[in-house]
Amino acid sequence: MYHAPVPLDLEQQDSEPVEVAEEAVGADAGSKRLREAHLHNGQAQTRALFAPYFAGTAVGAALLVAWALFAQTGPVLIGGWLAAVGAVNAAYFRRAMHERSNSGSRSAERGPALIPVAEAIGLAGVWASLPTWTFSHQSYEAQVVIVLAMASMIIAAVALASVPAAAYAWIATLTAALCAAYWLGNGLLDPLIGATIVGIASVAIFGMTRLTRFTYDQLQIIAKVRTQAESVRLLLKEYEHRGVGWLWQVDAENRVVYISSRMTSLLGRSASQLIGHSLPATLGGNSALGRTLLDRQPFANLEMELKTRRGTRWISLAGDPIIDMSGQFQGFRGVGSDITEVRRTQERLTNLANMDVLSGLPNRGRVRQLLGEALSGAQAGNVPCAIMFLDLDGFKPVNDTFGHPKGDAVLKSVSQRLVKEAGEVGHVGRMGGDEFAIVIRDAQSRKKVDDLARRIIGAVAEPYHIDKAEIRIGVSIGCAFGPIDGQSVDDLIQKADLALYQAKAQGRGTCCYFSADMQNEAEDRLRLEQDLRQAITLKQFRLDYQPLINAADQSLMGFEALIRWHHPTRGMVPPNEFITLAEETGLIMQLGDWVIDEACRAASIWPDYISVALNLSARQLILPALPNTVSESLSKYRLKANRIELEVTESVFLGDSEGSLDVLKRLRSLGVGIALDDFGTGYSSLGYLNKAVFHKLKIDGSFVREAAHNRETVAIIQSIVQLAKSFRMTVTAEGVETADDFTRMRDLGVHQIQGYLFGRPMSFERATDLIHGTQTRLTA
């Protein structure tokens, strides 16, 4: 019959719970007393650490004072005093060492709290006795030595920092002795000297207070840590019976030597039924546990499923091999815990991690997983899958107008409509913000995908009634098919995003499918962006100048600066291509700074009556530093501010109109002109004309051309001119190409003319020639 060995470091299973509980109660009751004992021990060790310094300082200072007193005091008296000082400090040193030697014992009793205080008073009194008594009979030099020695002894109170009361008593005794020395010598204490002594003592006490409090706090922390360490032993014993885990031990043959009652309860069997049997077999024949035990290496977090009478449970085991003194393997000892609830919590957290909180739909990470699974199935089964990217049209104004709570309500309603329309065809997910995605596992039928897209566009476009408010939005869709359009998740997502971009560009509310042309356009756009960055560095841009003519006498008044880019291989790149790209990539800031600098440079060379107008992007106006840039260029070329005009379009009043208006006001305060370009063709900006910002309105060329055969257009131009007069603004007509156009605009009251009739955009050199010698030909 097999006899199990006694478990290492474990007592009998039946009696131990009672004993452990009794020890735990005793530990809780005595924790405060134990912490105080550790604090006292720490104080004793600190005092012993400083005892040599303290005693040495006292004896050294006494010898110095004795030397000073030798001329006026008898040697017997000095010798007796030195002997007394040496004796009491030797006694103090021995006592400090004795207390330190006993401080490691938990049974060491703490003496009365006043003993250190009395000891400090006695030591200070013995040391100060002779200097105080003989102070009045000494020479001035000896008195200085005594005072300095006493001051050094006051500083020596740092050795008593672990017991604040003793340090204070030491300083107070020496201070009182010093005051008494002066009083005995003169029959009174001079107020100035007394104040000086008290001041020195106060500084010492203040510094000592900070030091002793810090030392005392540190000792309390150490005492607390030691008390906690004392409790660890009891906590380990309680772990088996009060904690969530249990202990186990097997011998070299993996047979159970000890197992906690918590585990026997979990298995529904008694300890006697388990001891002596294989642990892997006891836990359901788990092969992973058997292989781990055979490796005879430490292991942790070995999780396994366990069938019990209470149903399926999950446990986690950790163990270390037991090696005896001779190096022989004796088995394993370890801990285990029931992690069933932990695993359930992890599953819930996993679900939350894959779910969008607002809509309850799969989030971006889960959509990627679903698309990966669909793509793998498509590649294996030769049935294409699809990914739809959806972006809500007009959702940002909903948040701005109605607030985020209503915006969230709209998003929830959109989610419900998408799920309803997708049905069993696809999985709907939210990518974030107002972006959604639908993963379609079976996209073999293009018609089915088309129908789904059409239904979604119609469903999303239906009005939303939120708190008595009717809200309308739309949706644009981009779609890509896998593995036709992409062999990986990232590739498909990129292709669907390109298709969505195309849908937005086509006017929104549409569905676009990825095509190779989109990829080519995207790649060409990327190359153009790279070329644009290089062009700024390599200075491939130039400014051309189109004349501005006085309508009254056809004299030259200035130029409008127009940027041109001549690419080494692309040739002339149209401004409408690279300006838009520069705005989207943020390069417009660098480009705009260059244009401002170059226009100011050109104007500085020309006569003072020639002004230069240049265009500003709405993206530039969001930069508060723009006025500084203009001011620096004006200063750099010593240019009058009124020779520069900055033209903006009505689009600046979209978005952050207040911020843009503030920048325009700051620019106007510099003295530069501000012109509203293409007036009447864009967004209504009449409300901004009375802000004292604009000095000029520019009529778009489309009005000039239509005025030849459209009376309504003529009326519009007349209204613009009259409006400008009301605000004391100048009016410029653009796009004047014929003499009839010129005559008509002049007769309508337009002040300045710009167009091919008087000159196309020209280089700086030709513009300079025009200024200096071609005015007559231009007028003819």
Side-chain angles (χ1 to χ4, degrees), residues 483-504:
I484 302 168
D485 296 329
Q487 300 288 327
S488 67
V489 170
D490 290 332
D491 200 14
L492 271 181
I493 288 177
Q494 180 190 8
K495 303 299 177 54
D497 202 34
L498 287 174
L500 177 61
Y501 182 84
Q502 185 68 23
K504 289 281 189 181

Side-chain angles (χ1 to χ4, degrees), residues 18 79 92 173 175 215 314 392 429 434 452 463 477 541 576 694 769:
V18 177
Y92 169 80
T173 302
T175 303
T215 304
W314 282 87
L392 300 183
D434 59 352
L452 175 60
I477 303 175
F541 295 98
N576 60 346
F694 300 103
D769 292 340

Side-chain angles (χ1 to χ4, degrees), residues 191-335:
L192 182 58
I193 295 177
T196 303
I197 295 173
V198 172
I200 294 173
S202 299
V203 172
I205 290 174
F206 175 78
M208 196 55 55
T209 300
R210 302 296 297 272
L211 177 61
T212 54
R213 174 51 54 192
F214 173 79
T215 304
Y216 190 79
D217 290 344
Q218 294 301 310
L219 290 175
Q220 283 187 316
I221 293 173
I222 293 172
K224 182 178 180 181
V225 171
R226 288 177 176 173
T227 302
Q228 292 173 344
E230 281 291 316
S231 303
V232 170
R233 181 177 60 86
L234 293 175
L235 292 175
L236 287 175
K237 289 185 178 180
E238 288 183 31
Y239 173 82
E240 183 177 1
H241 301 284
R242 297 176 182 267
V244 296
W246 36 274
L247 307 178
W248 59 272
Q249 184 177 333
V250 297
D251 60 13
E253 302 298 326
N254 294 334
R255 293 173 295 196
V256 177
V257 173
Y258 176 85
I259 195 165
S260 296
S261 57
R262 291 178 62 86
M263 189 57 186
T264 59
S265 299
L266 182 65
L267 294 174
R269 300 163 67 181
S270 65
S272 60
Q273 292 177 305
L274 299 178
I275 292 177
H277 293 80
S278 168
L279 180 62
T282 300
L283 299 180
N286 190 282
S287 59
L289 176 59
R291 291 192 299 269
T292 301
L293 294 176
L294 290 176
D295 291 338
R296 298 184 177 182
Q297 297 293 325
F299 64 92
N301 300 323
L302 180 61
E303 297 182 2
M304 61 187 69
E305 188 177 8
L306 194 63
K307 303 294 183 181
T308 69
R309 296 178 181 178
R310 293 187 292 171
T312 301
R313 310 291 293 181
W314 282 87
I315 63 173
S316 176
L317 295 181
D320 290 292
I322 304 171
I323 308 297
D324 61 15
M325 297 297 292
S326 62
Q328 296 296 316
F329 174 74
Q330 296 297 325
F332 271 92
R333 181 190 298 120
V335 297

